[in-house]
Amino acid sequence: MASSLTTRLRGLAVDTRPLSVPAFRRLWAGQIVTVIGNQMTQIAVPVQVYSITHSSLDVGLTSIIALVPLIVFGLYGGAIADAMDRRKLLMLTGVALGLTSVVLWVQALIHGLASLPLLWSLVAIQSALFAINSPARSTVIPRLVRPALVPSANALNQIVQSTGVILGPLIAGVLIDAGGLPWAYFVDALTFIVAIYTIVRLPSMVPEGARRAGMSSVMEGLSYVLRRPIVLTSFLVDIIAMVFGWPRALFPQLSATVFGAGGLGWLYAGSSIGALVAAVFGGWLTRVHRQGRAVLFAIVVWGVAIAMFGLTHNLALAVLFLAIAGAGDMVSSVFRNSILQTASPDAMRGRLQGVFTVVVTGGPRLGDLRAGGFAAVSSPAVSSVAGGAMVIVGIAIVAVLVPSFRQYDARNATAMAEADQPEGEPAETA
């Protein structure tokens, strides 16, 4: 009986088989430190903006300054990733990101050099480089591991991301309190040395059917998305989840009026804790083949949890519901990414990942606007409950209207991708 229980527990643990592939293992190990470093800068920048201007409005505007390059270069960055050796692109953007972090460190270190225009310029440059780097990084996964292990590889990446979101701010807080802002930027710059080393050792990865990057290439990618229901729906369901269910804009008000100041950090960490736990115990993900249904179910879980979050006045329950929501979002993200990576041709993956970058960064910003607007005319509780309900209704409508997404089966990814393409177009190899 003990042996049977041990076997079941091992089956729940995250599938680490992708780490047996040396190239993927090196890339994953490099991400561990770079994500933590990036999160430290994400904390240091708003702290520095506020120290310069003493204005929360300027802190909020900094987020918009970062969003615009993410959207613009996310689309174009995907086209670049489909036009050149992705290993070389990762190296170039990695070096440039490291240099940007060095400049952030220098401007924070030298008294009198820091200014809001300089800081905003560096944030915009950093966001543009990240938007180019991110699609290329995602496209290499199906080139490094076999299709059956793609969900497991994405789950391992989710562990890195969730861990970084939790540890990065904590480490940044300690460093900023102990030694000042320059230390956070300095550590972030150092992490890129590790990242570049892991990228240098990757194999060359020239896209199949590589073509010149340009506006026509970007439009071709957008047309590909719009003309394929499975691909389009993978983006649409995330937009529904984030725009209607994203709760973070409510946390400051809830902290001040319901949970108390000590609850703010727990509210922000709640979803990341759930995502991390779900990823660590995500061994079952590799055994799920009906990935379309899994995405729909996971987002419904997200919606229900967000609605329940709005109904509670107990901090522990609030964090629990946020953790459940984060777990649902993690599962949705793993399978949505896996669908994009396995149901699309290699020549198109960069542009699809560029759209993915825009969606996952833009959706939460629109969600902030929706949640804050609803709360302003009603209450945070009404905003959360109504948002969660709209997520559930929206996903139910999608499930009925797009049966091909609901029926998507990873075991027949190539056949389903061919069936998803418009009539008259030549077949493409996924």
Side-chain angles (χ1 to χ4, degrees), residues 49-311:
V49 169
Y50 189 79
S51 71
I52 293 172
T53 67
H54 301 288
S55 168
S56 294
L57 175 60
D58 287 329
V59 174
L61 288 173
T62 303
S63 180
I64 303 301
I65 295 292
L67 176 61
V68 174
L70 278 171
I71 294 175
V72 174
F73 286 93
L75 296 175
Y76 193 71
I80 297 173
D82 284 338
M84 65 179 289
D85 184 343
R86 288 156 180 167
R87 170 179 169 271
K88 185 179 294 185
L89 181 58
L90 286 173
M91 286 177 58
L92 291 173
T93 53
V95 170
L97 281 164
L99 292 174
T100 306
S101 294
V102 170
V103 177
L104 281 166
W105 170 57
V106 171
Q107 62 86 36
L109 187 65
I110 300 176
H111 182 70
L113 183 59
S115 68
L116 189 60
L118 174 60
L119 194 55
W120 277 355
S121 297
L122 292 171
V123 166
I125 292 170
Q126 194 175 55
S127 293
L129 290 169
F130 173 81
I132 298 172
N133 178 278
S134 184
R137 184 173 291 275
S138 295
T139 58
V140 305
I141 292 176
R143 294 283 292 266
L144 297 178
V145 303
R146 66 180 190 272
L149 294 182
V150 168
S152 299
N154 285 322
L156 287 166
N157 284 340
Q158 283 291 324
I159 290 177
V160 170
Q161 186 64 36
S162 299
T163 301
V165 170
I166 295 171
L167 293 182
L170 293 175
I171 296 172
V174 172
L175 287 176
I176 292 170
D177 287 341
L181 279 166
W183 278 104
Y185 294 131
F186 179 69
V187 172
D188 186 21
L190 287 180
T191 64
F192 283 100
I193 297 175
V194 178
I196 293 167
Y197 171 75
T198 61
I199 292 167
V200 166
R201 300 193 63 189
L202 288 175
S204 175
M205 283 178 280
V206 178
E208 298 172 6
R211 54 164 297 175
R212 183 181 177 186
M215 188 53 64
S216 62
S217 178
V218 172
M219 296 308 296
E220 183 183 23
L222 292 175
S223 175
Y224 182 96
V225 171
L226 293 174
R227 289 165 61 82
R228 285 161 174 78
I230 291 175
V231 175
L232 178 61
T233 304
S234 72
F235 295 122
L236 177 61
V237 291
D238 188 57
I239 291 173
I240 290 172
M242 294 297 104
V243 171
F244 295 122
W246 188 248
R248 291 199 176 191
L250 307 174
F251 293 168
Q253 184 177 349
L254 286 170
S255 177
T257 61
V258 178
F259 301 117
L264 185 61
W266 283 105
L267 293 177
Y268 277 106
S271 62
S272 295
I273 293 171
L276 177 59
V277 172
V280 169
F281 293 99
W284 57 275
L285 294 172
T286 193
R287 298 189 289 274
V288 175
H289 304 295
R290 296 294 184 95
Q291 295 178 351
R293 290 185 181 180
V295 170
L296 296 173
F297 178 77
I299 296 178
V300 168
V301 169
W302 160 273
V304 171
I306 292 300
M308 296 302 294
F309 164 73
L311 293 174

